[in-house]
Amino acid sequence: MQQYSVPRLITKLLLPLILLFALYVQFHGDFGPGGGFQAGVIFAAGFVLYALVYGLDNARRIMPPWLLRVGVSLGVLIYAGVGVAGMLLGGAFLDYGVLDSHDPVHGQHLGILLVELGVGITVASVMISIFYAFAGRGR
Amino acid sequence: MLLSLLVVTALAVIRLRDLFAVVMLFGIYSLLSASLFVVLDAVDVAFTEASVGAGVATVFMLGTLALTTSREKTPGAHKPLLPLLVVLVTGAALIYGTSDIPHYGDPGNPIHQHVAPRYLEDSAEEIGIPNVVSSVLASYRGYDTLGETTVVFTAAIGVLLLIGGARRRRRSEEPPRPDREEEDA
């Protein structure tokens, strides 16, 4: 796709908006539709678009496969870690109410935010890794 | 209207032999399903369907086509009578079954009597966030979502093991050493 300047330019314009929208969906999931899963997929879609237009090698340079492999497991670890943290603070597994010692509702907020972040990281990394696997295989 | 468009798309998918067009139609099918979910007021589900079904899944299927072939093999001569009969009987049984399903949106439905009222009425106090879907997914049903995240994680491990893992790439980048070739043999 080196010779098509219009898709390259449009991608350059769209990419920050896509990634910003993914972050918005991620952290605004408490208030509007969306959440970690959707945000992860949108974030991955942004990278897929970049890789399609600018080539797989450039995409690999920005988001190297080792980072993705860390991300795939990091998200699940964050999720389970929030659950274990709740247990250490004296609650049940995945009971976010104890995360804030003063106000259980604040604890719920914090827990949901962290858990959704974990889901988002895992889903985005998984989608990009699968895309790398498919796109890298054909060459 | 949307449902009939869905049926038309599905029929086109069955008739077409060009898999590239089929993948595109699948994307359209997902988009139509997403619109249907919006009509049913399930915006979160619609969001997921639009981003996964119409977006990323289409790209993955195109990637699969690039690896394999974009023409479906024409099936040999076969008798469609028995499969047609099975499909018709199953479809008739399913349609007969829908007559027993409670009406859509009826507040007296069993599904609205179990835990849903508690989620809707108490989540504002207990969780304190406006999007009830998020509080159900992440807090009340936290175990399920943890399981789903693990499923996604496992899927990635499976795909990476099956096609193009790190081993394959490393082998093509490094010059093959004699001892490694012996291992492979």
Side-chain angles (χ1 to χ4, degrees):
Chain A
M1 274 245 188
Q2 296 296 324
Q3 64 275 37
Y4 300 113
S5 47
V6 173
R8 288 169 72 90
L9 187 69
I10 298 293
T11 306
K12 221 172 229 174
L13 287 176
L14 276 180
L15 202 59
L17 296 179
I18 295 176
L19 297 187
L20 193 67
F21 182 60
L23 292 178
Y24 167 78
V25 171
Q26 171 79 53
F27 294 110
H28 202 256
D30 301 0
F31 303 96
F37 192 86
Q38 290 92 334
V41 172
I42 293 172
F43 199 82
F47 262 93
V48 167
L49 175 68
Y50 179 85
L52 286 177
V53 174
Y54 284 88
L56 197 59
D57 293 326
N58 282 326
R60 279 224 177 94
R61 218 168 290 148
I62 297 173
M63 186 65 90
W66 66 264
L67 190 65
L68 290 176
R69 250 167 274 142
V70 170
V72 166
S73 25
L74 181 71
V76 182
L77 277 180
I78 290 179
Y79 201 133
V82 172
V84 174
M87 280 170 82
L88 290 179
L89 289 172
F93 184 64
L94 290 178
D95 178 9
Y96 314 135
V98 293
L99 290 178
D100 190 312
S101 50
H102 306 292
D103 189 358
V105 174
H106 276 182
Q108 291 281 355
H109 268 282
L110 184 66
I112 290 178
L113 197 73
L114 287 173
V115 156
E116 294 276 13
L117 184 66
V119 175
I121 292 175
T122 290
V123 169
S125 314
V126 164
M127 295 298 167
I128 302 175
S129 335
I130 294 180
F131 175 73
Y132 279 0
F134 271 100
R137 174 103 190 227
R139 303 183 307 168
Chain B
M1 177 64 201
L2 279 171
L3 272 178
S4 53
L5 278 176
L6 273 182
V7 172
V8 169
T9 319
L11 286 177
V13 165
I14 296 172
R15 295 300 302 174
L16 275 175
R17 288 276 172 266
D18 183 2
L19 292 182
F20 186 77
V22 167
V23 170
M24 288 299 141
L25 280 174
F26 268 131
I28 294 173
Y29 191 90
S30 288
L31 200 61
L32 289 172
S33 311
S35 327
L36 202 62
F37 292 138
V38 173
V39 172
L40 295 177
D41 276 345
V43 252
D44 283 84
V45 187
F47 207 159
T48 315
E49 180 68 44
S51 54
V52 178
V56 176
T58 310
V59 173
F60 286 166
M61 285 203 268
L62 286 179
T64 318
L65 289 190
L67 294 183
T68 54
T69 168
S70 63
R71 289 297 297 182
E72 185 182 348
K73 285 202 183 82
T74 40
H78 69 292
K79 294 194 180 66
L81 272 179
L82 183 65
L84 192 65
L85 190 72
V86 171
V87 167
L88 282 179
V89 168
T90 318
L94 286 176
I95 291 175
Y96 174 70
T98 54
S99 62
D100 252 0
I101 290 180
H103 281 288
Y104 175 75
D106 185 355
N109 288 348
I111 196 167
H112 298 310
Q113 302 295 323
H114 186 43
V115 286
R118 158 120 198 267
Y119 290 161
L120 288 178
E121 282 159 17
D122 296 347
S123 81
E125 275 176 38
E126 287 179 352
I127 315 289
I129 63 175
N131 187 357
V132 185
V133 177
S134 280
S135 50
V136 170
L137 279 182
S139 188
Y140 290 117
R141 288 272 169 262
Y143 277 96
D144 296 358
T145 311
L146 177 61
E148 280 160 23
T149 316
T150 317
V151 166
V152 173
F153 171 74
T154 320
I157 305 279
V159 169
L160 289 183
L161 280 176
L162 280 175
I163 62 169
R167 207 160 52 111
R168 181 183 308 275
R169 218 159 31 237
R170 213 175 292 142
R171 200 183 292 159
S172 60
E173 279 168 13
E174 287 174 7
R177 293 187 318 229
D179 57 318
R180 176 172 290 183
E181 276 180 341
E182 277 170 20
E183 273 175 25
D184 288 349

